[in-house]
């Protein structure tokens, strides 16, 4: 069973998820919050004996746009820093905001009109260390035309996104349905394009940093 938390200021959605997940044997809802501040707030002090430490959710379902005006990419970074992986969910499919969230470390994106079974599969993929792909995420990456980002073909973007998210080269190739040699070829092309843009990226950490820089330049 995978422990999850949900950050969303739509109370009806939270109540609906809570009711639906109560009958699930694959996911366990351990926390809900309307903001990341609320989710990450330390537990209130109580007299001894001290309470057991709160569990950290393996995956946090994070709404793309919250009512407190916080930036999606900042929310993603804070949740990741707290030890959880992030699946962004939203009714808003703004390509720039979606790409910024993924570049900041989100492990996938789904719009809220997907079936709940699709949500479960996405959470399981993210919890296992993968990236939850969706048509909306692919659309956002293809439409990303930020001037500071080198122009990358859709397959280059896919390989870059998976590899920079933490997958091995072999896992990246398997997810893309290509050989390891081909995946390496795509990554070499991506690195060359960054070098041509005057922003060298030689390692996986470099690539993740370049994505973060592209996010900060928006």
């Amino acid at each position: 069973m995978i422990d999850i938390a949900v950050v969303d200021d739509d109370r009806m959605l939270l109540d609906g998820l809570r009711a639906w997940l109560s009958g699930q044997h694959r996911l366990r809802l351990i926390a809900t919050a309307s903001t990341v501040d609320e989710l990450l707030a330390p537990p209130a002090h109580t007299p001894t004996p001290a309470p057991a430490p709160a569990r950290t959710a393996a995956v946090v379902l994070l709404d793309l746009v919250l009512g407190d005006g916080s930036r999606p990419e900042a929310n993603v970074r804070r949740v990741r820093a707290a030890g959880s992986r992030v699946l962004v969910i939203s009714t808003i499919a703004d390509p720039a905001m979606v790409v910024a969230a993924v570049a900041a470390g989100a492990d996938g994106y789904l719009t809220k009109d997907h079936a709940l079974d699709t949500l479960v599969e996405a959470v399981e993929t993210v919890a296992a260390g993968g990236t939850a792909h969706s048509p909306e995420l692919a659309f956002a990456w293809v439409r990303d035309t930020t001037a500071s980002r080198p122009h990358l073909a859709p397959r280059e973007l896919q390989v870059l996104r998976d590899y920079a998210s933490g997958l091995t080269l072999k896992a990246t190739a398997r997810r893309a349905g290509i050989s390891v040699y081909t995946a390496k070829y795509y990554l070499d092309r991506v690195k060359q394009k960054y070098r041509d843009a005057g922003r060298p990226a030689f390692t996986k950490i470099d690539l993740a940093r370049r994505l973060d820089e592209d996010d900060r330049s928006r």
Side-chain angles (χ1 to χ4, degrees):
M1 186 173 286
I2 301 169
D3 286 345
I4 69 169
V6 183
V7 180
D8 199 304
D9 48 21
D10 184 337
R11 303 309 304 180
M12 291 181 64
L13 179 137
L14 289 178
D15 290 343
L17 273 176
R18 188 179 294 109
W20 181 76
L21 289 169
S22 65
Q24 269 287 321
H25 301 293
R26 296 155 68 183
L27 307 181
R28 174 170 50 204
L29 182 63
I30 65 171
T32 62
S34 59
T35 66
V36 171
D37 282 341
E38 181 183 343
L39 177 72
L40 301 182
H45 176 72
T46 57
T48 56
R55 294 196 304 272
T56 297
V59 178
V60 172
L61 306 184
L62 176 65
D63 193 9
L64 185 65
V65 179
L66 297 171
D68 64 350
S70 54
R71 291 174 59 84
E73 58 271 29
N75 287 335
V76 169
R77 293 191 188 97
R78 293 181 65 196
V79 173
R80 287 300 303 265
S84 300
R85 298 180 69 84
V86 179
L87 176 61
V88 174
I89 57 173
S90 183
T91 56
I92 300 173
D94 182 294
M97 296 179 71
V98 172
V99 170
V102 174
D107 304 287
Y109 172 77
L110 287 179
T111 51
K112 293 179 180 178
D113 56 358
H114 281 280
L116 290 172
D117 286 344
T118 301
L119 175 63
V120 173
E121 293 174 1
V123 169
E124 290 177 332
T125 296
V126 168
T131 302
H133 295 279
S134 66
E136 298 84 9
L137 180 54
F139 176 86
W141 278 93
V142 170
R143 295 299 187 278
D144 180 32
T145 57
T146 304
S148 61
R149 181 189 295 273
H151 176 72
L152 303 178
R155 183 52 65 90
E156 291 172 340
L157 285 172
Q158 179 186 2
V159 170
L160 171 61
R161 181 174 67 247
D162 287 343
Y163 185 68
S165 74
L167 294 184
T168 64
L169 183 60
K170 184 177 180 180
T172 297
R174 183 168 59 249
R175 181 177 290 276
I178 57 180
S179 69
V180 173
Y181 175 83
T182 302
K184 183 179 184 301
Y185 171 72
Y186 282 130
L187 284 174
D188 287 343
R189 285 174 52 179
V190 169
K191 292 175 182 179
Q192 183 61 55
K193 289 183 178 182
Y194 273 112
R195 285 196 294 270
D196 291 344
R199 301 164 61 201
F202 299 103
T203 67
K204 180 183 292 189
I205 294 176
D206 291 337
L207 289 170
R209 286 173 176 166
R210 293 296 169 260
L211 288 174
D212 183 62
E213 290 168 357
D214 290 337
D215 168 46
R216 291 174 182 275
S217 69
R218 293 180 188 281

